[in-house]
Amino acid sequence: DMKRLLYLTAIIMAAVACNNGKEEEPQIPLSEQIIGEWELMDIETTKGAMLGEEKVEVTIIFNQDMTFTIEQMLGYGRPVTYKGTWTLPEDVLSGTYSDGKKWASDYKVVMEEDIMYMTPNLETAIETCTYKRVK
């Protein structure tokens, strides 16, 4: 949510301000930090999230070769798998499914250790998806 994103921004700005001129460690590019397996969490950080009354489970694997696999299950239905390619210049994540269709939105990505926040890069976006690193 927006409050969390603003809070996170304030924390990052405070951390930068408190650097006291020490030499900064080299920043690992987001495109390297994102590689791995991520699981969608809700605010309480339990497995899965709710979409209306249905529980949603989503796992995303970002591979080194710029491919992804998304496994998604809504409620007690069958899991659905999507594959494709991704790019992450700077902090905006884009994806294209294997059938050539682009993701519905690009996402602004913010990392905080093993937590990844993805906010749709749309003016109408009000929701941030929070993922926890699995591997």
Side-chain angles (χ1 to χ4, degrees):
D1 64 344
M2 196 56 151
K3 281 184 190 172
R4 184 182 298 203
L5 195 58
L6 290 172
Y7 179 70
L8 181 62
T9 303
I11 290 173
I12 291 169
M13 289 173 68
V16 170
C18 294
N19 194 13
N20 294 334
K22 292 179 193 159
E23 203 153 310
E24 271 188 57
E25 291 181 28
Q27 186 67 27
I28 299 168
L30 277 176
S31 58
E32 290 178 30
Q33 293 180 48
I34 199 172
I35 292 168
E37 185 173 331
W38 299 88
E39 187 174 271
L40 181 66
M41 310 179 337
D42 68 8
I43 294 165
E44 278 76 45
T45 68
T46 55
K47 186 175 177 184
M50 301 300 284
L51 182 63
E53 297 295 308
E54 299 269 15
K55 182 174 181 180
V56 180
E57 291 185 33
V58 179
T59 302
I60 304 177
I61 301 169
F62 293 103
N63 298 303
Q64 190 98 38
D65 66 359
M66 310 301 277
T67 60
F68 70 81
T69 302
I70 298 174
E71 292 185 9
Q72 178 178 307
M73 191 160 83
L74 181 59
Y76 296 101
R78 284 193 206 177
V80 180
T81 301
Y82 302 96
K83 292 181 179 279
T85 58
W86 62 274
T87 62
L88 183 58
E90 302 295 321
D91 61 352
V92 178
L93 175 67
S94 303
T96 304
Y97 296 105
S98 52
D99 66 3
K101 287 188 178 147
K102 295 224 175 274
W103 288 354
S105 171
D106 295 339
Y107 293 86
K108 175 125 172 90
V109 175
V110 176
M111 293 284 207
E112 186 180 281
E113 295 184 22
D114 285 341
I115 303 293
M116 174 174 56
Y117 301 96
M118 290 175 55
T119 306
N121 219 7
L122 301 169
E123 287 185 22
T124 56
I126 53 170
E127 126 188 325
T128 297
C129 296
T130 304
Y131 289 83
K132 182 169 179 40
R133 185 182 299 278
V134 180
K135 292 183 196 158

